[in-house]
């Protein structure tokens, strides 16, 4: 369970989709003065060096964020996300990539709360050191699946949960469903973002269908497919974001974003996208 390190995948096409959606949700939440909580159940290290041996091993960022940095035709939502990546590289270029906690750190207001969960001891150390100075922030050495229930409902009755486990363990798919179900029982209005990989596994294909049944007040499902599986049928073909209680603005934003990302990040001729939603 502690073998996974996001440093190997930082800035890849899955991060591009996940963080583009996250930025838009947090921008929307900040439109009201009332504070909100962001709870990241699998926070990772918070930020990553793209020159590290881990990032360079497969160079996944080269087929992800690196393809977007110098483009001048980005949709507005993608441009906001890329601007945050550029700000994380004040010297120019692309030497570092901001994880979800760093993106949150740059978008949350002084009154908003940030709760970060991470189990890997090395990533936890980096995470805690980087966020030690931010007010209203807690870093927990705990499993976010079990730790989430202690954070809901937030006192302000406004909250966002980001859930993006590695899914290296088959059990993660079931844990996502169980954790989302319990979270909505505790706080039905919570905005929940679930990232999932598009891989050759039945549980991955079933996950969005199972999440739909948990979201009677509405959901949005966005997915991009950018590469073909390998000769054995394995590999990360793409990924999806399933958003429960999404901002009403998100569908229009994703309608512009998804075809652009599918084209810009395509690694084969069959690249595609999917966008669907149900309103409450």
């Amino acid at each position: 369970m502690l073998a996974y390190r996001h440093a190997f995948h930082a800035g890849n096409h899955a991060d591009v989709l996940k963080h583009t959606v996250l930025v838009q949700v947090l921008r929307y939440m900040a439109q009201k003065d009332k504070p909100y909580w962001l709870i990241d159940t699998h926070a990772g290290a918070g930020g990553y060096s793209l020159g590290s041996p881990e990032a360079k091993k497969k160079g996944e960022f080269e087929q992800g964020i690196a393809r977007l940095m110098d483009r001048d035709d980005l949709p507005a939502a993608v441009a906001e996300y890329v601007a945050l990546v550029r700000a994380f590289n004040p010297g120019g270029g692309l030497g570092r990539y901001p994880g979800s906690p760093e993106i949150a750190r740059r978008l949350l207001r002084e009154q908003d709360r940030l709760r970060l969960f991470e189990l890997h001891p090395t990533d936890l150390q980096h995470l805690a050191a980087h966020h030690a100075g931010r007010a209203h922030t807690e870093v927990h050495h705990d499993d976010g699946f079990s730790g989430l229930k202690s954070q809901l409902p937030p006192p302000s009755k406004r909250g966002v949960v980001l859930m993006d486990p590695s899914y290296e363990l088959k059990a993660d798919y079931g844990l996502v469903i169980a954790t989302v179900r319990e979270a909505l029982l505790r706080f039905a209005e919570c905005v929940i973002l679930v990232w999932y990989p598009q891989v050759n596994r039945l549980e991955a294909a079933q996950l969005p269908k199972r999440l739909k049944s948990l979201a009677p007040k509405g959901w949005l499902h966005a997915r991009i497919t950018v590469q073909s599986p390998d000769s054995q049928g394995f590999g990360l073909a793409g990924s999806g974001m399933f958003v429960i209680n999404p901002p009403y603005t998100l569908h229009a934003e994703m309608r512009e974003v998804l075809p652009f990302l599918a084209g810009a990040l395509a690694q084969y001729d069959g690249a595609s996208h999917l966008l669907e939603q149900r309103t409450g």
Side-chain angles (χ1 to χ4, degrees):
M1 189 171 184
L2 295 182
Y4 179 83
R5 300 287 304 282
H6 192 67
F8 290 95
H9 313 288
N12 68 357
H13 59 78
D15 268 358
V16 170
L17 175 62
K18 175 174 62 180
H19 291 148
T20 298
V21 172
L22 177 63
V23 168
Q24 292 310 303
V25 170
L26 298 188
R27 293 284 195 204
Y28 178 83
M29 295 296 290
Q31 290 180 12
K32 293 184 178 180
D33 292 337
K34 193 174 182 181
Y36 70 91
W37 290 40
L38 172 62
I39 305 155
D40 190 338
T41 62
H42 298 77
Y48 305 91
S49 168
L50 298 181
S52 69
E54 293 86 358
K56 292 172 69 174
K57 184 173 183 179
K58 291 187 177 180
E60 292 186 18
F61 67 92
E62 294 176 357
Q63 305 302 325
I65 182 59
R67 289 194 178 191
L68 305 178
M69 292 293 285
D70 297 325
R71 293 188 64 145
D72 58 5
D73 61 343
L74 303 175
V78 180
E80 286 189 80
Y81 152 68
V82 172
L84 288 170
V85 179
R86 291 188 181 124
F88 196 53
N89 292 272
L94 181 61
R96 302 192 301 161
Y97 185 80
S100 303
E102 177 61 29
I103 288 174
R105 179 186 177 94
R106 290 170 180 266
L107 293 180
L108 266 63
R109 303 158 302 174
E110 185 178 355
Q111 67 266 37
D112 300 324
R113 270 56 174 171
L114 180 60
R115 301 293 184 263
L116 305 171
F117 289 85
E118 178 55 42
L119 274 176
H120 196 287
T122 303
D123 286 352
L124 178 76
Q125 185 178 16
H126 291 306
L127 187 68
H130 189 64
H131 291 272
R134 186 189 184 276
H136 307 312
T137 298
E138 295 179 6
V139 178
H140 296 271
H141 186 201
D142 197 2
D143 173 22
F145 286 131
S146 60
L148 177 60
K149 58 187 176 184
S150 68
Q151 308 295 322
L152 298 177
S156 67
K157 298 298 190 292
R158 301 186 72 225
V160 177
V161 172
L162 174 62
M163 195 176 302
D164 60 336
S166 68
Y167 296 98
E168 287 200 327
L169 296 177
K170 183 178 177 181
D172 280 355
Y173 294 93
L175 285 169
V176 165
I177 295 298
T179 306
V180 169
R181 181 184 292 113
E182 182 171 7
L184 291 173
L185 286 174
R186 290 174 177 269
F187 183 30
E189 293 76 27
C190 188
V191 180
I192 302 179
L193 286 68
V194 177
W195 174 86
Y196 72 92
Q198 189 179 358
V199 292
N200 186 20
R201 177 173 260 180
L202 178 62
E203 293 81 7
Q206 290 180 336
L207 185 63
K209 300 175 185 177
R210 298 178 69 187
L211 287 168
K212 290 175 184 178
S213 69
L214 301 180
K217 294 190 175 185
W219 50 262
L220 180 144
H221 179 211
R223 188 180 72 209
I224 58 171
T225 304
V226 297
Q227 65 183 43
S228 59
D230 63 22
S231 57
Q232 283 77 44
F234 297 104
L236 185 65
S239 67
M241 287 292 286
F242 194 95
V243 185
I244 296 173
N245 298 324
Y248 77 93
T249 54
L250 191 59
H251 185 270
E253 291 160 348
M254 291 301 106
R255 192 166 52 203
E256 182 180 15
V257 162
L258 294 180
F260 174 83
L261 289 183
L265 305 181
Q267 299 178 42
Y268 80 128
D269 291 338
S272 63
H273 69 279
L274 170 72
L275 177 62
E276 53 183 358
Q277 79 167 345
R278 191 186 76 188
T279 56

